[in-house]
Structures are given as structure tokens and as C-alpha cells.
Amino acid sequence: MTFCTPSIEPAITVTVSDAQTNLPLEAKVVVQEQNFQEELQLNGVTPTGQIIYGGVFERPGVYTVSTSSDGYETSVLEIEVTQGECHVLTRHLQVRLKPVKCN
């Protein structure tokens, strides 16, 4: 017999850092699946100071994850979130944004 917790789990969590320096970045993280769209919100901070963005609670699916920050190239990833026995199986992404090159 499985005992499920009453918690509500995020389908996706994301930390964002500079690809060159590995320093934490504040960013806008938008998740989309067909007509569904959500901007991930602050979900915590790592011991190294990286902001953890999280959301899309208990919603399995195939998502496009767009991460952007001023002065950096936008990252676009496609991921699948599956349903576990009790909760979604949270996907943890570490996004490293590249600085925009000046011409």
C-alpha cells in the first residue's frame, strides 16, 4: 500500500546562471504547453545563492521552457514531465545563459 503525502509538487524547477562565470542570475522563466502558459515564481534559494524558480504544480505534460535575462541570449528547452504514483516527477533544470555579444 502506498501512502501519498498531501503536498503539492512543482512539475518544473529551474536555476539560472551565467554560462561564463557560473554566477547566479535573476531571470524570467515562462513555461508553455499548447494554450497553457505560466511564469515560474520564486520557489527557494540554493546554498550558493541561486534562485530556484518553480511552478506548474502537479501538471504532467510536454513543455517549452523559455528563460531570459537582460543582457543574455534566451534559452528555449523542451522537456517532458511525467506522473509518478502520487505526484508529478519534478524536472530540475539548470539553465546557463550566454551573454549577448556586442558588435
Side-chain angles (χ1 to χ4, degrees):
M1 178 178 228
T2 299
F3 293 98
C4 296
T5 63
S7 63
I8 299 172
E9 301 301 320
I12 300 169
T13 63
V14 179
T15 57
V16 185
S17 60
D18 181 298
Q20 293 177 343
T21 66
N22 208 34
L23 291 173
L25 292 175
E26 289 187 26
K28 180 177 182 177
V29 183
V30 177
V31 175
Q32 186 168 352
E33 179 190 44
Q34 297 176 9
N35 294 330
F36 172 83
Q37 181 173 309
E38 180 179 322
E39 181 175 344
L40 301 188
Q41 302 299 312
L42 173 67
N43 199 43
V45 179
T46 70
T48 59
Q50 288 186 304
I51 298 169
I52 302 169
Y53 298 94
V56 193
F57 290 89
E58 297 295 355
R59 192 173 192 281
V62 177
Y63 296 97
T64 300
V65 180
S66 299
T67 306
S68 59
S69 185
D70 289 342
Y72 291 86
E73 296 177 11
T74 298
S75 166
V76 179
L77 302 168
E78 187 171 292
I79 63 161
E80 181 176 4
V81 177
T82 57
Q83 179 68 42
E85 192 169 350
C86 295
H87 300 285
V88 292
L89 301 177
T90 303
R91 294 291 306 267
H92 305 282
L93 304 177
Q94 294 180 331
V95 176
R96 297 170 48 93
L97 295 180
K98 297 177 184 175
V100 172
K101 294 181 181 178
C102 298
N103 292 332

